[in-house]
Structure formats: C-alpha cells, structure tokens
Amino acid sequence: MGNKVYLAACLFLLLFAGICFSRYAYQGGWVLMLFFISLGVAFRSSDKLKGFSFTTMIFGVFVAAMYYPQYFLSVGGFKLSALIIPLLQLIMFGMGCELSIKELATVIKMPKAIAVGVICHYSIMPIIGFALANLFNFPKEIAAGIILVGCCPSGLASNVMSYLAKANLALSVAVTAVSTLLAPLLTPLLMHLLAGKFITIHFWDMAWDTTRVVIIPIFAGLLFDFLVRGKLKWLDKIMPLISMASIGLIILVITSAGRESLMKVGLLLVLAVLIHNTAGYTLGYWISRLLGFKEKDCRTISLEVGMQNAGLASGLALLMGGIATIGLAPAIFGPLMNVSGSSLATWWHGRLPEEEKK
C-alpha cells in the first residue's frame, strides 16, 4: 500500500511540473497540495519517516492557503477565523485528557530538571524573539508576533519528538505541563516587557484570554479523563486525530488571512523563525550539558525550549486583533518547528544516549 501511495505522490509531482508550464498554472496549487498530502500518507508506512508525516501534510495545507486564500476566509458569510479559539480549546482539552495526576506527580521527582527546562524556555525563547524582532526591522505587528511565539509555552509536539528522540518522556510531559500552567502569568508579562514598544499589550485581558484558551480546557480534560478513564477507548484513539486536524485548519485560516503580508516579508520571516527555533534547540541542549544533566535530559530540554505552542500564539494573535500580521510568525513557526524537530528527533533516535550505552 505504501509503495502505491509513493507512486501517486510522484505522479502528482510530475503533473504539477507539467501544469506549471501551461496556461492552467493557477490550478497547479491543488495538485501540489495533493502531492504533499499523499507523501505524508506514504510516510506513515515507514518507521523512519512517519515522524514527518503530519508535517508534510501541513505543507499541503500551507500550499492551498497560499494559492487559494479566498476559499478559506469565510463560508456563506461565516468567518472561519471564529473557529480558531474553539479549536484551540479542543486541542487543550485533548492535552488534558492525555495527562494524568500520576504524570503531573513527576514534578516532585525531578524538580531541578523541570525548573531548568521551564526557566530556559521562558528566558531563551522570549529574549531571542526580541533580538530577532529588532534585528530584522519587521513591521511592528509582525515583530510582535515573533516575540509572541517566544513567550508561549511548549506544546504536545515536543512530547512526541522527545519520545522519538529516545529522550526523557516523563520530563518532557512535566515541563510542558508546568510551562503551560504558568502561561497565563508569564506570557502576558513577557509580552508587556518585550513587545510593549511594538504594540499595546493589555496584561489582564491577555492573562484571561490565555486562561480560558489553555487552563480551563486542560483542567476539563483532566477531570474528564479521571471520570471516564478506560471507558471510551475510541475517544482515546480519535482525539490525537482531531487535534492534528484542528492544527491544520488553524494554519490554513491564518495563512490565508495573512497571505499578502507574508508575500512581502516571507523569506526574511522564515529565516527569522528558523534562527529562533534552532537557537532554542542549541542553547537548551548546551546549557543542560553545562549543568551536568544526563544526555536523555539534555535532549528533552533542548526540544522543550525550541518547540513552542504555535497554535496558542495564533489564537492570542486573533484575540489581539492581528490574525493577518501578529499571527504570521506563529503560522510559519508551527510547520517549520515540526520539520526541524522531526529531523533532530530522527537523528537522535539512531544514537543511543551515553547512559544507555553504559
């Protein structure tokens, strides 16, 4: 089955190449989208490549948004941007369902590693975002979007990558949980301090927005999981798929809304986001090494620092009234982060941590 899908992907790519040189070039976007989606499906049949599956499909979504933004802004007068917050709340609810009191209790078992992970996350990424926003001299709202990405907590993607990288999964889950629970305080505070010169930040409004988008759905998910654990196995299987579909739709809507701004600063913004992401991995890893942590913990902190909850950043950008500007950096950071994180995790996967070799 996998070989047939690979063949279909190759045919879509060849068809796209042919259409590009014809008078139907505009229609090539649909074919290119199908190429990425079919390639993502094919990757799921490979143990080495399945970590790239979701990211490849997201590229298909991104292509559709860049070619045909007019289709993804509204449907029958209903603005699709109105779905972003409910979808984010659904993702956070799923995150709450995946957590458990037992997993949260790991905070007590490894406080030093968790503290280092959270402190590095909320210091390295906001400071680098601030530096890049000033260095690249972007328009004010786009610059604020870069800082916003850096001020958000880590997300579920870092847990998946930690698992693939043979890192400390329990530590990853704990850092994600703690950084997320601190987000209603730290995200608006850091935005006020670092992005205040670019845009007006309403601290308490942002704190409440973060709480209702993140904290309330997570605790609802924890409660739901506690009450029905093991009783709805079909829901456990479908929630990750719902979360992935929700992320794809969020990226689709935000990219469509910000297409014109993205065309003006696209390559520079991609470069800034790439530097932001890779600097997080690098500094998170080497600071952990200097502090004497084990290799598995260093890998975990590296991924936790470099990978952000770009979906939350997108939702906050919408609530701040800047989906087409402030939301651009988060829309790019999400897919790019998954590509870099998957690549790093795959590279580490083939290399046993030093403590396991012994």
Side-chain angles (χ1 to χ4, degrees):
M1 182 64 183
N3 291 334
K4 292 180 180 178
V5 183
Y6 275 118
L7 178 60
C10 291
L11 291 174
F12 282 131
L13 185 60
L14 290 172
L15 181 59
F16 171 72
I19 290 176
C20 283
F21 297 100
S22 73
R23 60 180 179 174
Y24 302 106
Y26 178 71
Q27 304 302 324
W30 299 116
V31 180
L32 186 59
M33 179 193 73
L34 290 172
F35 160 71
F36 280 116
I37 291 175
S38 56
L39 190 63
V41 173
F43 282 169
R44 294 189 66 82
S45 63
S46 169
D47 290 335
K48 292 183 178 180
L49 297 174
K50 63 182 178 182
F52 296 96
S53 175
F54 175 62
T55 305
T56 306
M57 293 182 189
I58 289 296
F59 274 116
V61 169
F62 190 82
V63 165
M66 291 299 290
Y67 265 86
Y68 317 108
Q70 67 275 18
Y71 297 125
F72 310 112
L73 296 175
S74 62
V75 176
F78 175 77
K79 290 186 177 181
L80 293 178
S81 59
L83 295 174
I84 291 176
I85 299 304
L87 288 172
L88 273 173
Q89 291 171 323
L90 184 60
I91 293 168
M92 293 301 139
F93 176 81
M95 181 178 177
C97 291
E98 290 296 317
L99 293 173
S100 68
I101 304 300
K102 182 180 178 181
E103 288 171 329
L104 291 176
T106 57
V107 175
I108 302 171
K109 298 178 182 178
M110 46 183 124
K112 181 182 176 182
I114 293 168
V116 169
V118 173
I119 291 170
C120 285
H121 184 89
Y122 275 120
S123 58
I124 290 172
M125 296 305 280
I127 291 171
I128 293 174
F130 177 76
L132 291 169
N134 284 279
L135 177 65
F136 281 84
N137 197 30
F138 288 119
K140 290 184 177 181
E141 290 198 341
I142 292 177
I146 296 173
I147 298 173
L148 177 60
V149 173
C151 294
C152 281
S154 53
L156 288 173
S158 60
N159 304 153
V160 177
M161 300 311 167
S162 292
Y163 172 74
L164 293 175
K166 294 183 177 178
N168 187 336
L169 183 57
L171 174 61
S172 175
V173 171
V175 172
T176 297
V178 174
S179 68
T180 301
L181 293 174
L182 290 173
L185 172 64
L186 293 182
T187 298
L189 177 62
L190 290 167
M191 281 295 288
H192 178 73
L193 294 173
L194 300 176
K197 74 176 230 180
F198 296 108
I199 58 173
T200 302
I201 303 296
H202 301 285
F203 177 88
W204 292 112
D205 289 343
M206 194 172 189
W208 166 242
D209 288 338
T210 310
T211 300
R212 69 187 177 95
V213 171
V214 176
I215 303 301
I216 295 175
I218 283 179
F219 276 102
L222 278 168
L223 180 61
F224 181 82
D225 181 68
F226 177 75
L227 294 174
V228 302
R229 175 174 285 276
K231 296 178 182 178
L232 299 174
K233 293 184 179 180
W234 61 269
L235 187 61
D236 295 336
K237 294 179 180 179
I238 201 172
M239 275 307 297
L241 297 176
I242 293 174
S243 295
M244 288 189 289
S246 299
I247 292 169
L249 184 54
I250 289 170
I251 291 173
L252 181 67
V253 174
I254 291 175
T255 305
S256 298
R259 181 183 181 275
E260 297 307 314
S261 296
L262 192 55
M263 293 293 286
K264 295 176 183 176
V265 297
L267 291 178
L268 276 180
L269 187 56
V270 170
L271 177 61
V273 166
L274 182 61
I275 293 171
H276 198 181
N277 180 220
T278 53
Y281 294 141
T282 305
L283 292 173
Y285 180 85
W286 287 106
I287 287 174
S288 304
R289 292 280 287 189
L290 290 172
L291 291 173
F293 286 114
K294 294 178 180 179
E295 171 67 15
K296 292 182 73 171
D297 294 347
C298 292
R299 293 181 182 186
T300 302
I301 293 174
S302 170
L303 291 165
E304 286 296 320
V305 173
M307 303 190 79
Q308 304 293 95
N309 191 333
L312 173 60
S314 300
L316 292 175
L318 170 65
L319 294 170
M320 294 165 71
I323 185 175
T325 50
I326 301 174
L328 278 184
I332 293 176
F333 197 100
L336 198 63
M337 167 190 78
N338 282 293
V339 171
S340 62
S342 300
S343 302
L344 183 58
T346 302
W347 187 76
W348 268 331
H349 184 79
R351 291 162 177 78
L352 282 176
E354 293 171 7
E355 57 267 30
E356 289 192 9
K357 290 180 182 178
K358 294 177 183 178

